[in-house]
Amino acid sequence: MSSTAFATHVAAAAVARPRLGRGGTCVNHNHARTAGAPPTAKRVCHHHVTRALSGVSASAPDEELPPQEWAKEWRASLTPDAIKTFIEASCERLQGVDARFIVIGDGGILESVNEWPSQARFAELGAKGTCCTLASPDKNFEAHLFLAKVQEVALARSERGGRKIYAVRFFGADAAARPMLTVVLHGEEGGEVPQAAVDKWESLAEYL
């Protein structure tokens, strides 16, 4: 696709963004926000966006839609309280699941594989706000996240090198930049992620 054509598709997606009523309901198609999602989440009606990006009218029937690719992302802008709720839910549902924690800096990358902790710790650190700590029971592994710095949270699934990737990503002020923290479900031998873990991961979309 040429750069001009791509720009046209992106512009169409922006125009197609629906108006949302109270509680995040799409007033055009009455698409309610997913049950359980916090009222602060910003949600785009995928009914419109899919049609806009594919060149199909937003009012076209579903049967005119092209096939969906397997790769998908659920993303929302959340308040610190809503982020805390999301993290607590992720610990409750994914506890014990092997996960790769990834932080990418300008000059280095840090990765560590650990079990998803059963609970997160939250501490108020004055002007810095709430600090979330995800740690192993023996504290040989710890990851810290300042909730006030997180602007968006995403669940993203993709495929690379024949392996399916299931990630949780926390983005800062520049949502187009690399994530502040990425946590990827760690596959078993051969790279396959157990279906039970995938189901638990996907259930977190209700908070976005």
Side-chain angles (χ1 to χ4, degrees):
M1 179 184 291
S2 68
S3 58
T4 300
F6 178 76
T8 301
H9 284 312
V10 172
V15 172
R17 186 184 181 95
R19 293 187 300 112
L20 300 181
R22 294 186 61 185
T25 300
C26 167
V27 298
N28 298 80
H29 290 90
N30 196 32
H31 290 175
R33 180 187 307 280
T34 306
T40 52
K42 296 178 182 177
R43 186 173 176 88
V44 177
C45 173
H46 294 287
H47 177 93
H48 292 79
V49 173
T50 303
R51 285 161 168 73
L53 291 177
S54 61
V56 179
S57 168
S59 60
D62 289 342
E63 57 268 20
E64 292 183 17
L65 279 175
Q68 296 292 306
E69 293 184 1
W70 184 83
K72 186 174 181 179
E73 181 184 72
W74 296 262
R75 187 191 286 221
S77 176
L78 306 178
T79 65
D81 284 344
I83 296 167
K84 180 179 178 180
T85 298
F86 175 86
I87 293 174
E88 289 174 332
S90 69
C91 289
E92 178 184 344
R93 300 181 187 189
L94 292 172
Q95 59 179 302
V97 172
D98 286 340
R100 182 180 298 273
F101 292 75
I102 306 169
V103 176
I104 302 177
D106 290 335
I109 301 174
L110 176 65
E111 297 190 22
S112 181
V113 176
N114 293 272
E115 289 187 356
W116 206 294
S118 60
Q119 62 181 5
R121 301 197 310 270
F122 300 92
E124 297 299 327
L125 301 181
K128 292 183 178 180
T130 303
C131 177
C132 169
T133 297
L134 298 169
S136 59
D138 58 9
K139 296 187 179 180
N140 283 334
F141 165 80
E142 290 191 9
H144 305 282
L145 191 64
F146 288 95
L147 303 191
K149 295 290 186 180
V150 179
Q151 297 298 310
E152 293 186 358
V153 179
L155 294 177
R157 70 185 187 195
S158 58
E159 192 165 356
R160 185 177 304 166
R163 293 186 177 185
K164 293 181 177 179
I165 299 172
Y166 305 88
V168 179
R169 296 189 174 121
F170 298 90
F171 293 88
D174 185 358
R178 66 171 62 103
M180 296 168 51
L181 172 66
T182 296
V183 189
V184 178
L185 300 188
H186 189 64
E188 299 174 335
E189 186 174 350
E192 189 72 19
V193 177
Q195 186 58 47
V198 173
D199 292 341
K200 294 173 182 177
W201 173 87
E202 195 166 80
S203 73
L204 293 173
E206 70 178 271
Y207 292 92
L208 303 179

